[in-house]
Amino acid sequence: MSKKRKVSSSLQRQQSKRQKLEAVKGKAKTRQIGTDEKQKKMPKADSSAKPGIFTRPDYKAALEKASSGSSSKKKKPKIKSRFFKEVPNTLRDDGPSDKDIAEHNLNALEMATIPRPEKVSEQHMPSLLFRFTMAITALSESKLSFAAAALYIVLCNLLSRFLLVRVATAYGSYNVEVNVSGLIVGEPSTNKSPVFQKVLERARDLISKAKKQGSEKTIFDTEKEKIQRKEARKKLEQAQKIRAEDPKKAMEFEAEARSILSQAENTVSRKNFIISKCTLASLVRKVSKTDDPLLMVHEEAGDLLKLTQKAGDPTKEFYIGLMDGNSIENYENAHHEFDTAGKRLSILGAVQPEVISKIVISVNDGLIQRFPIIAYENTVSEQKITLNASQVEKNFETWNKVLTNLTTHPEKRFEIELTKAAQQELSSLKNHFGTRINDKQTHTILKGLFGKRLSFIVSIAAANAFIRNRGFKDLIIESEDIKLAARYAELNEEHFKIAFGFNEVTQEKRALELLNRIMFSKFAKEKFTASQIAKNEWRGFKASTSVEELLNVLKDYKLAYQLKPAATQDGGRPTVYWAINTDLLEN
């Protein structure tokens, strides 16, 4: 080998060693950069967007900051994870793709649509009543909120047969009827019917027993019925004599006779006060034959709620009068007048969320406002209530004693009062709801809800007092009873908002539904206006203002964009166009 060739080979070997050495040093520097960056704060979400929502510019800025400083050449830190999380631990060379970010934000919206109503606890009711609630929940394998709602509705209805609550004011006092109604809102698989069955099981047995014991008329009942029938006969005779001269007066005498006979027939049937779903004609007859407040169990209340969409419907007005208990008129049809004035009815109903969503536009209706208790299904899995057999038996022994006292027939209704401290607590709540009603930002529908809140709280407080006192002796409503009732009312307000669409979760759920509609329409790949969407007349999206509100929700999640409006030649208001994030679409 020549000398020249040897020198050339030596130079090549030295150059190769230098290149390898520089490569090793370069790798060490790159590793050092990555280590330093792990200790730095990673990119944050766009402050104008929803929590956890990210955009591409945020990520690029973070990469530029991470790759500067330690080396003369800017090197991008490495990323191991594919998806860009809120506080990622590592970075990838090219970062998540635009499609990855879009998928992340879509997932955030989907998670936000899951309703998470507050759970019932001992903070909302007396401890003894909460133990009843847990026992019902364990046996029916259902939800705590469902059991609590059913228990309160049954308790208040039975208590209203015995008592009124007198509430003092600066100008006198007024009485509150304690019977309340409510709806359990859940999917078919949430065991709503077993809750009804377990709550009412013992009550039905006791009522049946009381009915058999009272099936034979006493001497007093027999004599009373004879007198009433004789009086009714006189009225009919008077009507017969003056029919030709004064038909109107004759009809009045007949109505009086019919009312007297109805009272005579009521002697034995008065103990039937829990009824199932029935026709209007059947309900009218049952109401007219008893002075007891009836409890209607309506396991499919969808048909009843559809009455909210009929303005001025006489059937709806009849239900409202019964649920308030202050109707001053009897029910009349073409042939008869029934004694229904002043009679009372409470409803324990169940309905599916889908049915509720169809009548949301009528939520300000007076009939809906007569359901102060709303128990909405918590779709997030609850911890299963597990009680051993002895605990359940002990709880039900106490519950049976409560029902035994409440299913006997009262001699006469009496009044209970509030302590001074309880009265002050109620006055404070009155001011609180008055402030919320006067607030311009409070929705009209919620104002209607708050307007009836005091009587609802008093009714629940009466049930709390009865459970705490273990009976009627020296019964009085104390401050703690009002406080627990107010907390339960606050929980119900949250459930009401979720059920009827007045919370962010429902807005975001509707925004997600609108997004799905758009993605499978012609607007998926072209710009559009809110009015164009409304003209499609998709169910629930027929108003342009409502569509625009939902598009702004999608904008917060970076799933839709508002295009910059072009200037108009005539100087008028520019048309606002929108577009869906195309990274959501399949290639």
Side-chain angles (χ1 to χ4, degrees), residues 402-427:
V402 170
L403 288 180
T404 301
N405 291 332
L406 291 176
T407 49
T408 57
H409 197 279
E411 293 296 327
K412 185 180 178 181
R413 287 211 296 172
F414 60 93
E415 295 176 355
I416 64 170
E417 297 179 347
L418 287 72
T419 64
K420 186 176 180 180
Q423 189 65 57
Q424 290 174 347
E425 190 71 31
L426 191 65
S427 298

Side-chain angles (χ1 to χ4, degrees), residues 43 115 238 248 273 281 291 387 397 411 462 475 507 531 535:
Q238 289 176 328
K248 186 176 180 181
F273 54 86
D291 290 329
L387 299 174
E397 280 181 11
E411 293 296 327
L475 182 60
Q507 274 289 86
S531 297
K535 287 177 182 178

Side-chain angles (χ1 to χ4, degrees), residues 160-361:
S160 68
R161 302 168 66 242
F162 293 87
L163 56 83
L164 292 163
V165 180
R166 178 169 288 278
V167 179
T169 67
Y171 306 99
S173 62
Y174 63 93
N175 287 334
V176 174
E177 293 280 1
V178 300
N179 61 311
V180 298
S181 298
L183 294 171
I184 290 176
V185 185
E187 298 293 346
S189 58
T190 49
N191 289 352
K192 300 185 290 296
S193 296
V195 170
F196 291 0
Q197 180 186 350
K198 294 299 178 184
V199 171
L200 294 169
E201 190 175 66
R202 178 61 176 167
R204 290 187 191 279
D205 291 343
L206 290 169
I207 292 166
S208 177
K209 182 179 179 182
K211 183 180 177 183
K212 289 178 181 177
Q213 290 175 347
S215 60
E216 296 183 3
K217 297 179 182 178
T218 63
I219 297 174
F220 174 80
D221 290 333
T222 303
E223 293 301 317
K224 180 181 176 182
E225 186 177 341
K226 286 180 181 179
I227 294 171
Q228 288 173 325
R229 289 184 182 279
K230 188 175 180 180
E231 185 180 351
R233 190 178 297 111
K234 287 180 180 180
K235 294 287 183 182
L236 289 173
E237 289 173 355
Q238 289 176 328
Q240 190 69 24
K241 289 179 182 179
I242 65 170
R243 186 177 303 280
E245 299 176 3
D246 193 348
K248 186 176 180 181
K249 187 68 176 176
M251 290 180 66
E252 289 179 2
F253 280 133
E254 287 180 351
E256 291 177 10
R258 192 176 294 112
S259 177
I260 294 169
L261 288 173
S262 176
Q263 293 175 16
E265 294 170 357
N266 190 39
T267 305
V268 179
S269 61
R270 64 187 181 183
K271 296 182 185 300
N272 293 323
F273 54 86
I274 296 183
I275 58 176
S276 298
K277 174 186 176 181
C278 56
T279 63
L280 177 63
S282 176
L283 176 62
V284 170
R285 287 195 298 271
K286 290 177 183 294
V287 169
S288 66
K289 291 182 179 181
T290 180
D291 290 329
D292 288 327
L294 297 178
L295 173 63
M296 176 185 282
V297 180
H298 216 310
E299 296 191 19
E300 293 292 339
D303 290 341
L304 177 62
L305 296 179
K306 287 178 183 177
L307 292 173
T308 58
Q309 299 174 326
K310 300 178 181 179
D313 184 82
T315 303
K316 179 174 69 175
E317 296 301 325
F318 176 65
Y319 272 105
I320 289 174
L322 288 178
M323 294 167 83
D324 284 343
N326 58 6
S327 175
I328 59 174
E329 297 180 355
N330 288 332
Y331 183 86
E332 295 184 37
N333 61 17
H335 306 288
H336 299 285
E337 179 179 352
F338 295 91
D339 180 26
T340 60
K343 300 298 181 67
R344 290 158 289 147
L345 172 74
S346 56
I347 300 174
L348 171 57
V351 67
Q352 296 178 27
E354 184 181 355
V355 176
I356 290 286
S357 66
K358 292 178 181 178
I359 63 166
V360 163
I361 57 173

